[in-house]
Amino acid sequence: MNKLRFFIALFMAKLARLLLKMLGRNATYLPGEVALKISKDFLGHLKMPETVICVTGTNGKTTVSNLLASVFTKNGYDITNNSFGSNVQAGVAAALLADSDILGRAKKKIAVLEVDERSSLLVYPYIKPDFLVVNNIMRDSIKRNAHTGFISYIISSSLPEKTKLILNGDDLITASLAKQCKNRVYFGLDAEKPEISEKPFLSDIVYCPECGNLLESEYLRYNHIGRMHCTSCQVKSPERDYLVTDIDRENEKFTVSLKGKEHTFNLINDNIVNVYNFAGAIALLTEAGLDISQTEKGFSESEIVKTRFDTMKAGKLNITFQMAKGQNPIACARCYSYMASIPVKNKLLIIDVDDLHDNIGESESTCWLYDCDYSYLKDESIAQIIFAGPRCRDQLLRALIQGVSKDKIVLCEDVTKAVSLIDTEKFNDIYVLYELYRQPDADKMRVQLKNLGEGTK
């Protein structure tokens, strides 16, 4: 009976996909939802590709998944990937069935799948990944992800023993995942280590996960990302198999020690968060069997997806767009930090990080703002900040509590009017930070800024 339901689900899902394509619409979620409505264990009946690679974590999974897909593709591999669709159960199902035949057999040998952390229990028991990359586990929106202990538990409890783990060794939470998976390697950064161990704005792990005693840090880059050890037992940050030893920002290169041998790669983006993402991708590609020359080639021809990070010039205006995941305090803080660190004076920031879905019939929460470090916005290089969107006054309050000068803050509840508030006589360097679902806002601002810079309407 289950097998019959599977074939009915497969037929109906493929029909739904065909109809959506005929209508000129993406078929990256709905076919999977149709399949799962008919057959709850649909994923368990699909014949998987020979190699299944999954990517998860609080921040960076889309960047890593897209980069892996790019490198594999540029080296001639034909892969299944959900980079243009959803990373929850229905999106994973839609991607796999799109590349399966009428009997549910995989047409391609490799799948690279981004998987939302909360979907772990619904995905991993069925697709049984050969490799799993985990960038980090840290606090996200309390509405979405509860807390790090919960997320760690559902990832760990859903993984089969056979899965090889590619883990961030500078994140003690991530490094402690899924003890049943003995086959594991770690990546991390040794370059640009902080000179002193300052107490971070917040930390998602303070006590030892084994004995409960206080942890001490050698250094912390941000949140709990760094090197830690227990004051009582033997728990400590693991030795890293893949280690970034140098970041050459001027020549846009970075060096990774791969099990003792150093190799240089193209630095696609110099944000330290992305350097971690790149290290994780290199570790996976190597463990999955790519030759180092293939990985180097892939990196030399890849770039960050422009919806995540992009730059443009319009007249005298230098414009940077950066996605900042709304309701994710660490992601937003890292974006603020990166903008502050860019060696340009007299910057203007437009910050549009309201969660679109929180403004449509849901109970909205602004508690995440108080887990986000706004101190970076005090940097002297940031001359003006335009908080845009319905929650701009909440942003103002949070910034004032952090000590950001009210004199450099402008409020604009209507996002479409934010660009009109820019004084181009004062500002040439414009930075737009926007939430994941505010891409349409960013697209409109892109056109408005282009027109503003070129002096056209």
Side-chain angles (χ1 to χ4, degrees), residues 155-353:
I155 293 174
S156 295
S157 61
S158 61
L159 286 171
E161 292 182 10
K162 73 151 193 167
T163 300
K164 185 165 191 175
L165 302 181
I166 317 295
L167 304 173
N168 185 345
D170 292 346
D171 175 0
L172 195 55
I173 298 176
T174 295
S176 303
L177 287 173
K179 296 295 179 59
Q180 74 273 18
C181 301
K182 304 302 182 184
N183 198 359
R184 52 212 288 142
V185 297
Y186 302 97
F187 62 89
L189 271 64
D190 204 40
E192 299 182 356
K193 291 187 292 188
E195 293 183 2
I196 57 175
S197 179
E198 295 182 348
K199 185 177 180 181
F201 175 77
L202 52 80
S203 176
D204 282 316
I205 183 168
V206 177
Y207 300 104
C208 175
E210 295 294 331
C211 72
N213 281 291
L214 191 67
L215 291 169
E216 285 186 351
S217 59
E218 177 186 340
Y219 62 83
L220 295 172
R221 296 182 185 277
Y222 63 93
N223 197 279
H224 62 280
I225 305 300
R227 306 298 291 169
M228 310 176 82
H229 65 270
C230 178
T231 57
S232 179
C233 71
Q234 301 300 311
V235 168
K236 62 178 181 178
S237 300
E239 294 300 316
R240 295 150 297 183
D241 305 279
Y242 297 83
L243 187 61
V244 177
T245 56
D246 183 63
I247 302 172
D248 184 350
R249 298 174 190 274
E250 182 177 352
N251 296 306
E252 298 182 337
K253 302 289 182 183
F254 71 106
T255 302
V256 179
S257 176
L258 310 182
K259 299 181 179 179
K261 295 183 179 180
E262 292 199 335
H263 301 272
T264 301
F265 300 86
N266 182 45
L267 183 61
I268 302 170
N269 180 273
D270 68 346
N271 189 332
I272 205 73
V273 173
N274 277 326
V275 178
Y276 271 107
N277 292 335
F278 303 153
I282 290 168
L284 180 282
L285 292 164
T286 305
E287 295 297 321
L290 260 68
D291 184 84
I292 193 64
S293 62
Q294 292 178 295
T295 303
E296 290 172 344
K297 174 181 182 291
F299 265 72
S300 69
E301 298 175 358
S302 298
E303 61 182 7
I304 296 292
V305 178
K306 292 188 181 297
T307 56
R308 301 275 159 170
F309 183 88
D310 191 23
T311 59
M312 60 180 281
K313 190 169 180 63
K316 67 175 185 178
L317 297 183
N318 304 305
I319 304 159
T320 299
F321 288 86
Q322 167 112 27
M323 184 178 287
K325 191 176 177 184
Q327 293 208 22
N328 185 310
I330 310 302
C332 283
R334 298 320 302 161
C335 288
Y336 300 160
S337 171
Y338 183 63
M339 293 298 134
S341 72
I342 295 173
V344 173
K345 296 181 179 180
N346 203 42
K347 302 166 191 163
L348 183 146
L349 271 59
I350 299 177
I351 299 178
D352 174 24
V353 293

Side-chain angles (χ1 to χ4, degrees), residues 70-81:
S70 173
V71 174
F72 275 118
T73 300
K74 291 180 186 305
N75 279 286
Y77 293 90
D78 193 14
I79 67 167
T80 293
N81 182 232

Side-chain angles (χ1 to χ4, degrees), residues 400-455:
L400 294 179
I401 289 174
Q402 193 81 50
V404 180
S405 172
K406 188 176 182 180
D407 294 338
K408 67 178 183 181
I409 297 176
V410 176
L411 303 183
C412 183
E413 189 169 343
D414 185 346
V415 176
T416 63
K417 296 180 179 178
V419 171
S420 67
L421 301 178
I422 298 174
D423 185 346
T424 56
E425 296 299 319
K426 292 183 179 180
F427 304 105
N428 295 330
D429 296 285
I430 315 298
Y431 300 83
V432 180
L433 285 79
Y434 58 96
E435 204 273 334
L436 177 66
Y437 295 105
R438 291 289 184 178
Q439 183 67 50
D441 292 347
D443 293 339
K444 290 176 183 176
M445 281 190 270
R446 190 184 301 271
V447 174
Q448 293 172 337
L449 286 165
K450 183 177 185 295
N451 293 340
L452 182 66
E454 295 176 351

